Amino acid sequence: MSDDVGTWQNVPLAPPDSIFKLTAAYKADTFARKINVGVGAYRDDDNKPWVLPVVKKATEILLNDPSLDHEYLPITGLPEFTSAAAKLILGASSPAIAEGRVTSVQTISGTGANHLGALFLSRFYQWNGEAIIGLSSPTWANHHAIFKNVGIKPIDYPYYDPRTIGLDFEGFLSALRNAVPRSVFLLHACAHNPTGVDPTEKQWETIADVFLEKGHYAFFDCAYQGFASGDLDRDAVAVRYFVQRKVPLLVCQSFAKNAGLYGERVGALHVVAASPDEAARVKSQLSVLQRSEISNPPSHGARIVSLILNNPDLFEEWKRDIKTMAHRIINMRHELHGLLTQEFKTPGNWDHIISQIGMFSFTGLNVVQSTALVEKARIYLTSNGRISMAGLNSKNIRYFAESLDKAVRGTL
Ligand code: LMR
């Protein structure tokens, strides 16, 4: 055998990740006015990652705890973390929790929750035909990969209407109505990624009606609780409403954004079952799946979040920290909107910048304009025109608005 024929020579070269390649390119760029609005990660007004003051406090408490050890956590995670996390998303007085119908497992952040949920469905969901999940068009790109990995076929459902830069509610509803009964649909609980376009409460009611009529299963992904409105409870209304209406569902939860714990990988998967017996069966199988994949979830981040969720003073402080982040983002939306509409008089309507919510704005820029911003202005954004509002601050927003204006006019 010749030396240059390797074992892996037939492995196709994969493209780099569409979001994290932007962070790498941004870091490598020496241009002083470069801006990273690619990845959805919070930055303060000095463009620095923000360690939440409450997280600093909780870490301090942990470091001074003489009883702390480095033993394995249980397979399904730190119990005081998972139970508090369930209350956070489902509500402290959730009847489903009181009735013992909720099963919660600690996961490797939201991605791990999506994966574990998808894996569980691929094994145990009673598919009506082929294993398919409906994903909003567009959605977080990783959703496609996660479901394909476990043999579930992603199918797009209409969601975003480029003509209105808003929700295609009729298209969405007809996809739900036309799907075979007991189909599975992924729903973004709040602060839709990438569009920042969420259904209204009234629209969620109609969506729940159709789920019940058709017996569909709701696979909620909740990566931004607190980021949409600055209020943890308000951002959980869709999930809580679906639980109240007894739509069968699970929820994937991440603490990466709302606790600023990106690297710690803290998340949970909550399955709301029909009865305590069903919940126990689900938990037993989730444990088996988790064991073969990661054995036991990591302890550090879960301990921090558990301290915050279970201590009333820390919890109040966390809510203030979340408001700080959410309001900074909302301020950036207003400032950008003002610059585009009043100062630069950029062609087009830019009201969606202030009507969209959460970490992202879907600017409506096309691939050519987005690419020009990356290549000519060194403003790093995904080619679908999504920008992370947290990448903007009082020092760079003028350069951003000016460059966007030029991109729209084709003069960059
Ligand atoms: C994003 O969409 O930018 C974030 O959720 C980070 C990620 O994992 O892609």
Side-chain angles (χ1 to χ4, degrees), residues 87-108:
K87 286 186 192 143
L88 184 77
I89 180 69
L90 302 177
S93 54
S94 162
I97 297 178
E99 290 156 19
R101 294 191 286 114
V102 180
T103 203
S104 301
V105 174
Q106 188 185 326
T107 58
I108 307 291

PDB file of all heavy atoms in Angstrom, residues 87-108:
ATOM      1  N   LYS A  87     -39.154  24.605  37.298  1.00  0.00           N
ATOM      2  CA  LYS A  87     -40.060  25.653  37.805  1.00  0.00           C
ATOM      3  C   LYS A  87     -39.844  26.967  37.052  1.00  0.00           C
ATOM      4  O   LYS A  87     -40.783  27.726  36.821  1.00  0.00           O
ATOM      5  CB  LYS A  87     -39.811  25.880  39.300  1.00  0.00           C
ATOM      6  CG  LYS A  87     -40.359  24.759  40.148  1.00  0.00           C
ATOM      7  CD  LYS A  87     -40.227  25.107  41.620  1.00  0.00           C
ATOM      8  CE  LYS A  87     -40.491  23.882  42.462  1.00  0.00           C
ATOM      9  NZ  LYS A  87     -39.636  23.811  43.649  1.00  0.00           N
ATOM     10  N   LEU A  88     -38.615  27.223  36.677  1.00  0.00           N
ATOM     11  CA  LEU A  88     -38.314  28.464  35.982  1.00  0.00           C
ATOM     12  C   LEU A  88     -39.065  28.546  34.647  1.00  0.00           C
ATOM     13  O   LEU A  88     -39.646  29.569  34.309  1.00  0.00           O
ATOM     14  CB  LEU A  88     -36.808  28.578  35.721  1.00  0.00           C
ATOM     15  CG  LEU A  88     -36.384  29.883  35.073  1.00  0.00           C
ATOM     16  CD1 LEU A  88     -36.373  31.013  36.093  1.00  0.00           C
ATOM     17  CD2 LEU A  88     -35.018  29.753  34.415  1.00  0.00           C
ATOM     18  N   ILE A  89     -39.092  27.454  33.917  1.00  0.00           N
ATOM     19  CA  ILE A  89     -39.733  27.516  32.607  1.00  0.00           C
ATOM     20  C   ILE A  89     -41.237  27.220  32.699  1.00  0.00           C
ATOM     21  O   ILE A  89     -42.038  27.842  32.014  1.00  0.00           O
ATOM     22  CB  ILE A  89     -39.020  26.599  31.564  1.00  0.00           C
ATOM     23  CG1 ILE A  89     -39.699  26.685  30.192  1.00  0.00           C
ATOM     24  CG2 ILE A  89     -38.900  25.168  31.994  1.00  0.00           C
ATOM     25  CD1 ILE A  89     -39.532  27.991  29.508  1.00  0.00           C
ATOM     26  N   LEU A  90     -41.624  26.284  33.572  1.00  0.00           N
ATOM     27  CA  LEU A  90     -43.039  25.892  33.607  1.00  0.00           C
ATOM     28  C   LEU A  90     -43.855  26.708  34.603  1.00  0.00           C
ATOM     29  O   LEU A  90     -45.080  26.674  34.577  1.00  0.00           O
ATOM     30  CB  LEU A  90     -43.165  24.402  33.931  1.00  0.00           C
ATOM     31  CG  LEU A  90     -42.449  23.461  32.956  1.00  0.00           C
ATOM     32  CD1 LEU A  90     -42.570  22.016  33.413  1.00  0.00           C
ATOM     33  CD2 LEU A  90     -43.008  23.609  31.537  1.00  0.00           C
ATOM     34  N   GLY A  91     -43.161  27.414  35.492  1.00  0.00           N
ATOM     35  CA  GLY A  91     -43.855  28.213  36.512  1.00  0.00           C
ATOM     36  C   GLY A  91     -43.762  27.511  37.859  1.00  0.00           C
ATOM     37  O   GLY A  91     -43.926  26.286  37.940  1.00  0.00           O
ATOM     38  N   ALA A  92     -43.514  28.309  38.917  1.00  0.00           N
ATOM     39  CA  ALA A  92     -43.314  27.721  40.246  1.00  0.00           C
ATOM     40  C   ALA A  92     -44.556  26.970  40.706  1.00  0.00           C
ATOM     41  O   ALA A  92     -44.463  25.979  41.432  1.00  0.00           O
ATOM     42  CB  ALA A  92     -42.964  28.821  41.239  1.00  0.00           C
ATOM     43  N   SER A  93     -45.742  27.416  40.249  1.00  0.00           N
ATOM     44  CA  SER A  93     -46.959  26.732  40.711  1.00  0.00           C
ATOM     45  C   SER A  93     -47.567  25.882  39.596  1.00  0.00           C
ATOM     46  O   SER A  93     -48.779  25.652  39.578  1.00  0.00           O
ATOM     47  CB  SER A  93     -47.949  27.772  41.206  1.00  0.00           C
ATOM     48  OG  SER A  93     -48.152  28.721  40.177  1.00  0.00           O
ATOM     49  N   SER A  94     -46.729  25.394  38.704  1.00  0.00           N
ATOM     50  CA  SER A  94     -47.238  24.601  37.586  1.00  0.00           C
ATOM     51  C   SER A  94     -47.946  23.332  38.073  1.00  0.00           C
ATOM     52  O   SER A  94     -47.344  22.515  38.770  1.00  0.00           O
ATOM     53  CB  SER A  94     -46.062  24.207  36.682  1.00  0.00           C
ATOM     54  OG  SER A  94     -46.434  23.134  35.845  1.00  0.00           O
ATOM     55  N   PRO A  95     -49.211  23.143  37.690  1.00  0.00           N
ATOM     56  CA  PRO A  95     -49.912  21.907  38.088  1.00  0.00           C
ATOM     57  C   PRO A  95     -49.196  20.658  37.554  1.00  0.00           C
ATOM     58  O   PRO A  95     -49.179  19.628  38.223  1.00  0.00           O
ATOM     59  CB  PRO A  95     -51.297  22.053  37.466  1.00  0.00           C
ATOM     60  CG  PRO A  95     -51.445  23.510  37.169  1.00  0.00           C
ATOM     61  CD  PRO A  95     -50.071  24.057  36.950  1.00  0.00           C
ATOM     62  N   ALA A  96     -48.588  20.756  36.380  1.00  0.00           N
ATOM     63  CA  ALA A  96     -47.908  19.577  35.807  1.00  0.00           C
ATOM     64  C   ALA A  96     -46.783  19.124  36.732  1.00  0.00           C
ATOM     65  O   ALA A  96     -46.564  17.915  36.925  1.00  0.00           O
ATOM     66  CB  ALA A  96     -47.360  19.910  34.420  1.00  0.00           C
ATOM     67  N   ILE A  97     -46.064  20.087  37.333  1.00  0.00           N
ATOM     68  CA  ILE A  97     -44.994  19.725  38.273  1.00  0.00           C
ATOM     69  C   ILE A  97     -45.621  19.131  39.531  1.00  0.00           C
ATOM     70  O   ILE A  97     -45.204  18.071  40.008  1.00  0.00           O
ATOM     71  CB  ILE A  97     -44.113  20.950  38.620  1.00  0.00           C
ATOM     72  CG1 ILE A  97     -43.392  21.472  37.363  1.00  0.00           C
ATOM     73  CG2 ILE A  97     -43.093  20.590  39.708  1.00  0.00           C
ATOM     74  CD1 ILE A  97     -42.523  22.713  37.587  1.00  0.00           C
ATOM     75  N   ALA A  98     -46.664  19.817  40.050  1.00  0.00           N
ATOM     76  CA  ALA A  98     -47.306  19.341  41.290  1.00  0.00           C
ATOM     77  C   ALA A  98     -47.853  17.927  41.103  1.00  0.00           C
ATOM     78  O   ALA A  98     -47.817  17.113  42.032  1.00  0.00           O
ATOM     79  CB  ALA A  98     -48.414  20.302  41.685  1.00  0.00           C
ATOM     80  N   GLU A  99     -48.334  17.627  39.918  1.00  0.00           N
ATOM     81  CA  GLU A  99     -48.909  16.292  39.660  1.00  0.00           C
ATOM     82  C   GLU A  99     -47.850  15.240  39.366  1.00  0.00           C
ATOM     83  O   GLU A  99     -48.181  14.089  39.095  1.00  0.00           O
ATOM     84  CB  GLU A  99     -49.887  16.385  38.478  1.00  0.00           C
ATOM     85  CG  GLU A  99     -51.163  17.148  38.805  1.00  0.00           C
ATOM     86  CD  GLU A  99     -51.849  17.744  37.573  1.00  0.00           C
ATOM     87  OE1 GLU A  99     -51.557  17.279  36.445  1.00  0.00           O
ATOM     88  OE2 GLU A  99     -52.659  18.679  37.746  1.00  0.00           O
ATOM     89  N   GLY A 100     -46.583  15.637  39.342  1.00  0.00           N
ATOM     90  CA  GLY A 100     -45.502  14.674  39.105  1.00  0.00           C
ATOM     91  C   GLY A 100     -45.416  14.197  37.670  1.00  0.00           C
ATOM     92  O   GLY A 100     -44.929  13.107  37.376  1.00  0.00           O
ATOM     93  N   ARG A 101     -45.888  15.050  36.726  1.00  0.00           N
ATOM     94  CA  ARG A 101     -45.891  14.638  35.314  1.00  0.00           C
ATOM     95  C   ARG A 101     -44.693  15.149  34.523  1.00  0.00           C
ATOM     96  O   ARG A 101     -44.630  14.970  33.318  1.00  0.00           O
ATOM     97  CB  ARG A 101     -47.173  15.160  34.641  1.00  0.00           C
ATOM     98  CG  ARG A 101     -48.441  14.541  35.166  1.00  0.00           C
ATOM     99  CD  ARG A 101     -49.603  14.892  34.286  1.00  0.00           C
ATOM    100  NE  ARG A 101     -50.062  16.267  34.420  1.00  0.00           N
ATOM    101  CZ  ARG A 101     -49.989  17.184  33.461  1.00  0.00           C
ATOM    102  NH1 ARG A 101     -49.456  16.888  32.297  1.00  0.00           N
ATOM    103  NH2 ARG A 101     -50.465  18.397  33.655  1.00  0.00           N
ATOM    104  N   VAL A 102     -43.785  15.852  35.225  1.00  0.00           N
ATOM    105  CA  VAL A 102     -42.648  16.441  34.500  1.00  0.00           C
ATOM    106  C   VAL A 102     -41.380  15.666  34.807  1.00  0.00           C
ATOM    107  O   VAL A 102     -41.075  15.398  35.969  1.00  0.00           O
ATOM    108  CB  VAL A 102     -42.453  17.920  34.893  1.00  0.00           C
ATOM    109  CG1 VAL A 102     -41.278  18.532  34.131  1.00  0.00           C
ATOM    110  CG2 VAL A 102     -43.730  18.711  34.634  1.00  0.00           C
ATOM    111  N   THR A 103     -40.671  15.294  33.784  1.00  0.00           N
ATOM    112  CA  THR A 103     -39.395  14.623  33.977  1.00  0.00           C
ATOM    113  C   THR A 103     -38.304  15.536  33.415  1.00  0.00           C
ATOM    114  O   THR A 103     -38.425  16.064  32.315  1.00  0.00           O
ATOM    115  CB  THR A 103     -39.436  13.225  33.331  1.00  0.00           C
ATOM    116  OG1 THR A 103     -38.477  12.433  33.938  1.00  0.00           O
ATOM    117  CG2 THR A 103     -39.222  13.228  31.860  1.00  0.00           C
ATOM    118  N   SER A 104     -37.268  15.758  34.226  1.00  0.00           N
ATOM    119  CA  SER A 104     -36.237  16.733  33.844  1.00  0.00           C
ATOM    120  C   SER A 104     -34.860  16.104  33.920  1.00  0.00           C
ATOM    121  O   SER A 104     -34.547  15.410  34.893  1.00  0.00           O
ATOM    122  CB  SER A 104     -36.277  17.937  34.786  1.00  0.00           C
ATOM    123  OG  SER A 104     -37.535  18.558  34.737  1.00  0.00           O
ATOM    124  N   VAL A 105     -34.069  16.367  32.900  1.00  0.00           N
ATOM    125  CA  VAL A 105     -32.721  15.807  32.829  1.00  0.00           C
ATOM    126  C   VAL A 105     -31.748  16.932  32.507  1.00  0.00           C
ATOM    127  O   VAL A 105     -32.011  17.734  31.607  1.00  0.00           O
ATOM    128  CB  VAL A 105     -32.656  14.718  31.723  1.00  0.00           C
ATOM    129  CG1 VAL A 105     -31.231  14.225  31.515  1.00  0.00           C
ATOM    130  CG2 VAL A 105     -33.558  13.547  32.076  1.00  0.00           C
ATOM    131  N   GLN A 106     -30.663  17.006  33.226  1.00  0.00           N
ATOM    132  CA  GLN A 106     -29.627  18.018  32.946  1.00  0.00           C
ATOM    133  C   GLN A 106     -28.891  17.649  31.661  1.00  0.00           C
ATOM    134  O   GLN A 106     -28.547  16.480  31.444  1.00  0.00           O
ATOM    135  CB  GLN A 106     -28.647  18.076  34.121  1.00  0.00           C
ATOM    136  CG  GLN A 106     -27.651  19.221  34.022  1.00  0.00           C
ATOM    137  CD  GLN A 106     -26.616  19.163  35.134  1.00  0.00           C
ATOM    138  OE1 GLN A 106     -26.911  18.758  36.247  1.00  0.00           O
ATOM    139  NE2 GLN A 106     -25.392  19.544  34.809  1.00  0.00           N
ATOM    140  N   THR A 107     -28.655  18.651  30.826  1.00  0.00           N
ATOM    141  CA  THR A 107     -28.029  18.381  29.515  1.00  0.00           C
ATOM    142  C   THR A 107     -26.861  19.328  29.250  1.00  0.00           C
ATOM    143  O   THR A 107     -26.656  20.285  29.980  1.00  0.00           O
ATOM    144  CB  THR A 107     -29.064  18.570  28.384  1.00  0.00           C
ATOM    145  OG1 THR A 107     -29.574  19.912  28.466  1.00  0.00           O
ATOM    146  CG2 THR A 107     -30.206  17.577  28.478  1.00  0.00           C
ATOM    147  N   ILE A 108     -26.142  19.027  28.180  1.00  0.00           N
ATOM    148  CA  ILE A 108     -25.036  19.890  27.755  1.00  0.00           C
ATOM    149  C   ILE A 108     -25.642  21.091  27.040  1.00  0.00           C
ATOM    150  O   ILE A 108     -25.728  21.124  25.799  1.00  0.00           O
ATOM    151  CB  ILE A 108     -24.068  19.113  26.824  1.00  0.00           C
ATOM    152  CG1 ILE A 108     -23.609  17.797  27.456  1.00  0.00           C
ATOM    153  CG2 ILE A 108     -22.871  19.989  26.417  1.00  0.00           C
ATOM    154  CD1 ILE A 108     -22.683  17.945  28.642  1.00  0.00           C
TER     155      ILE A 108
END
